[in-house]
Amino acid sequence: MTVALGRTVDVRVPATSANLGPGFDTLGLALSIYDSLEVTELPAGELEIRVSGTGAAEIPTDASNLVVRSIAHVFADADRPMPGLRIVAENGVPHGRGLGSSGAAVTAGVLAAKGLLAGDVEISDEDLLRLATELEGHPDNVAPALFGGLTIAWVGERGPQHKKLLVHRGVSPLVLVPSYTMSTSQARSLQPPQVSTADAIFNVSRSALLIAAMMQSPELLLDATADRLHQDYRAGAMPETQRLVQALRAAGFAAVVSGAGPSVLVLADGPGSRQDAVELANRVTDTPWDSLLLAVDVRGGTVGDRAEGFHVAS
C-alpha cells in the first residue's frame, strides 16, 4: 500500500552550552554542532523514526520520542489534530554531556511543528520560546538553540523572555567531551536550597562582567567565568571534569563546566590558544577528551519547507 505523504520540512538545531560559569540558569551560548531532521506528515496514527549519528541507539523510536512529543505539544497548543510523522534524524549533538541535547530535541520539535503548520497557524518567536520552555522546564538552553548567539533568558510576567547578544569575534569556544555522561537531574539534585549572600553577590558581579567580556573584552574572560553557585557542589559527581577545569583555569584558560556537565567549555580569547588547552587536557587527567574546536552559531535553529523552498523560522 502506498502511504500518502504531506508536507516535508527540514530542521537544523545547534548544540548549546548553558551557565557559562556564573550565569546559572540564565546564560546560554549556541555552538556549531548540529542535529538535522527531515520531518514529513503522514496519515494520522502513522509513525516512522530513523535516527543516525551521536547517541542513536539510545533514542526511542516510538511516541515517547522527545521530538514527537514536542511536535504534539505545539499541535495541541494550536488546537490542530496531530498528523502521523516520518522523522529522519542525523544527530551531531552529544547526549548527556552538557551540550543541550534535550533542548535541541525540544527545539527541533517546536520548529518542525511551526514548519508543518505554516500557512494555517502562525507561531511567533515568543510562542516558540514559551512552548519550548514548557517542555524543557527552563529557557537557558532552548533560547540559544532557537535564536543563536549568546542569550540571556528569564521568566517574567509575560512568560519566558530572551535577549540575544552578539559575541566578540575574538571569543573562540573549545569543548572537551569525555566518554562518560552526567544526568541533568542528578546534577541539579546536588544544588543546595540556599547560598550565602556573599556567594550570590560574587556571581552577580561575575555574570555582569561576563556579558562585557563576551561582547567587548575577551581578555576579561578568566575572571568573568568564575562561579560559586553550582560547579563546586557538583564536583564530587564528576571529579575528572573538576580536575580539568581547575588545571585549565590555573593555566589562565577561561574554563567552565558546560551546562550540567561533564563536558568542559573553554572560552579562549583567540583561536590560537585553543590547541594549548587541548594539549593541557591530554596531560592532566586520566580521562580521554574529545576536542571540539567550534564557532559560535549566530543563526540558531532553522526550518524550511522542502517543496516550497522557503525559510519559515529562525
Side-chain angles (χ1 to χ4, degrees):
M1 180 180 295
T2 301
V3 177
L5 301 181
R7 170 177 276 174
T8 294
V9 295
D10 293 310
V11 180
R12 191 173 84 148
V13 179
T16 56
S17 182
N19 304 328
L20 310 183
F24 184 58
D25 277 4
T26 301
L27 298 181
L29 186 68
L31 298 169
S32 60
I33 358 172
Y34 301 92
D35 286 349
S36 299
L37 298 88
E38 174 192 287
V39 182
T40 301
E41 289 181 323
L42 298 178
E46 300 283 340
L47 180 61
E48 303 174 16
I49 301 175
R50 298 197 300 270
V51 184
S52 59
T54 304
E58 308 160 12
I59 297 172
T61 55
D62 57 18
S64 67
N65 180 280
L66 186 51
V67 174
V68 174
R69 289 192 282 124
S70 300
I71 293 172
H73 183 69
V74 178
F75 270 79
D77 186 80
D79 196 24
R80 294 294 187 271
M82 178 69 172
L85 296 170
R86 173 183 295 158
I87 298 173
V88 181
E90 172 67 31
N91 286 351
V93 180
H95 281 228
R97 304 301 203 284
L99 288 168
S101 59
S102 66
V106 166
T107 299
V110 298
L111 286 175
K114 178 183 172 79
L116 295 174
L117 288 166
D120 175 24
V121 178
E122 296 307 315
I123 302 173
S124 68
D125 285 351
E126 188 173 75
D127 285 333
L128 286 172
L129 183 58
R130 172 182 61 82
L131 291 161
T133 302
E134 287 170 357
L135 289 154
E136 179 74 350
H138 44 88
D140 54 334
N141 281 111
V142 294
L146 281 166
F147 307 115
L150 170 67
T151 59
I152 307 170
W154 70 97
V155 179
E157 292 182 357
R158 294 186 294 122
Q161 306 292 316
H162 85 286
K163 175 63 178 177
K164 177 180 176 179
L165 303 172
L166 296 179
V167 177
H168 191 284
R169 63 183 181 181
V171 176
S172 300
L174 162 68
V175 179
L176 299 161
V177 184
S179 59
Y180 58 91
T181 63
M182 180 71 180
S183 160
T184 299
S185 59
Q186 180 187 355
R188 286 186 172 274
S189 73
L190 301 173
Q191 293 295 125
Q194 296 178 327
V195 297
S196 70
T197 300
D199 285 350
I201 292 170
F202 181 95
N203 269 57
V204 168
S205 69
R206 297 314 190 274
S207 295
L209 182 61
L210 182 54
I211 299 301
M214 293 288 285
M215 295 183 67
Q216 297 179 348
S217 305
E219 71 276 7
L220 298 175
L221 281 167
L222 180 61
D223 284 345
T225 50
D227 161 70
R228 291 184 184 173
L229 287 189
H230 64 102
Q231 293 183 135
D232 287 346
Y233 296 109
R234 299 171 173 182
M238 40 187 172
E240 288 293 283
T241 295
Q242 178 73 353
R243 183 180 172 192
L244 180 57
V245 168
Q246 291 176 339
L248 286 165
R249 294 188 67 83
F253 295 101
V256 298
V257 178
S258 181
S263 294
V264 173
L265 171 69
V266 179
L267 295 170
D269 58 4
S273 63
R274 292 190 295 188
Q275 190 57 43
D276 293 334
V278 171
E279 292 172 2
L280 179 61
N282 290 333
R283 291 197 308 268
V284 300
T285 75
D286 298 327
T287 296
W289 301 86
D290 186 12
S291 304
L292 305 179
L293 281 69
L294 304 175
V296 175
D297 173 274
V298 298
R299 192 175 186 185
T302 60
V303 56
D305 188 303
R306 175 167 294 188
E308 299 180 25
F310 66 87
H311 177 68
V312 298
S314 63

